[in-house]
Amino acid sequence: SQQGEEDPQALSIQEGENATMNCSYKTSINNLQWYRQNSGRGLVHLILIRSNEREKHSGRLRVTLDTSKKSSSLLITASRAADTASYFCATDAGSSASKIIFGSGTRLSIRP
Amino acid sequence: DAGITQSPRHKVTETGTPVTLRCHQTENHRYMYWYRQDPGHGLRLIHYSYGVKDTDKGEVSDGYSVSRSKTEDFLLTLESATSSQTSVYFCAISGSPTGELFFGEGSRLTVL
């Protein structure tokens, strides 16, 4: 089974609202990353948070990491139509640091 | 954009035929990955490489083999394609073991 699992699987919100997606993982990690995928395209890296960090910001993105709960959240503030995409978390497999595993993703739709 | 090219981008083949997908990079990155993406499963790691001739299995490696004889190329081979291997295949590269991945545009494979 996959290392990371996102919740919810799908999310539909009004433009301007905030979107929150959650990721849970199973083993200890070095880093956790979030990626975005527009329909039919390759994934694009959004943000990386290290295991010794609790929160990180990048523009309208805010990521938190709780290693005790093995979970992370991605918050997108003031959503825009262009934020419509699928979002994935990715973790290394701890002892196999270069083995990067993805979750099943959250499909975000922004309504105008 | 990272210099990463996948070929072919689209392929239709018949069950039982061999298929090779190529990932070529111009970034001199050490780490290369092959993922498959199917509806409802997100991205699943097939094989990855941490150097020339150094490869390891991912989550769904059965039925697939890889080779990396030089830094810039990572080949994924389906020795005898099956319909369950119909998928979109993504190659990714990284300059560090737990760092940002750069993705190719994907190769859509249909096995009839």
Side-chain angles (χ1 to χ4, degrees):
Chain A
S1 60
Q2 293 178 260
Q3 163 80 321
E5 297 294 336
E6 281 93 339
D7 169 57
Q9 290 188 336
L11 179 61
S12 179
I13 62 173
Q14 204 76 30
E15 192 168 11
E17 293 179 339
N18 296 340
T20 300
M21 290 159 268
N22 303 295
C23 169
S24 60
Y25 56 92
K26 298 175 182 175
T27 66
S28 62
I29 61 172
N30 295 291
N31 300 325
L32 185 142
Q33 304 181 53
W34 284 91
Y35 288 80
R36 165 199 170 117
Q37 183 183 35
N38 288 88
S39 181
R41 305 297 301 276
L43 279 71
V44 175
H45 182 262
L46 294 176
I47 195 166
L48 179 152
I49 187 166
R50 304 191 187 284
S51 60
N52 61 356
E53 297 177 309
R54 291 297 168 258
E55 186 171 315
K56 200 164 184 179
H57 296 256
S58 177
R60 293 185 297 112
L61 305 180
R62 172 179 170 253
V63 170
T64 61
L65 179 64
D66 186 335
T67 53
S68 67
K69 295 181 179 179
K70 293 186 170 59
S71 67
S72 173
S73 67
L74 171 67
L75 168 68
I76 303 174
T77 60
S79 63
R80 306 167 181 170
D83 295 328
T84 294
S86 291
Y87 294 81
F88 297 88
C89 67
T91 58
D92 57 86
S95 57
S96 299
S98 57
K99 185 176 182 179
I100 308 297
I101 304 295
F102 282 78
S104 53
T106 293
R107 194 169 58 254
L108 176 64
S109 299
I110 308 299
R111 303 189 303 272
Chain B
D1 289 346
I4 178 169
T5 305
Q6 292 185 226
S7 60
R9 293 290 313 280
H10 301 272
K11 186 172 181 66
V12 179
T13 191
E14 294 190 350
T15 298
T17 59
V19 176
T20 295
L21 305 180
R22 181 187 184 221
C23 179
H24 179 77
Q25 59 142 332
T26 58
E27 304 297 321
N28 201 35
H29 281 346
R30 178 180 175 186
Y31 301 90
M32 298 186 76
Y33 302 80
W34 276 109
Y35 293 90
R36 61 177 289 174
Q37 185 173 32
D38 306 288
H41 289 279
L43 273 79
R44 291 182 290 178
L45 180 63
I46 305 172
H47 282 279
Y48 64 105
S49 170
Y50 45 94
V52 174
K53 297 186 180 177
D54 290 324
T55 65
D56 206 348
K57 295 180 179 180
E59 304 169 276
V60 289
S61 58
D62 287 348
Y64 301 95
S65 62
V66 290
S67 66
R68 191 165 178 204
S69 59
K70 46 187 179 178
T71 299
E72 57 266 35
D73 289 325
F74 193 31
L75 304 180
L76 177 69
T77 297
L78 292 66
E79 300 290 347
S80 178
T82 67
S83 59
S84 64
Q85 293 175 312
T86 292
S87 188
V88 180
Y89 292 86
F90 286 98
C91 176
I93 63 175
S94 180
S96 63
T98 59
E100 176 182 355
L101 297 182
F102 298 93
F103 279 82
E105 289 299 311
S107 295
R108 182 175 295 276
L109 175 67
T110 302
V111 183
L112 301 176

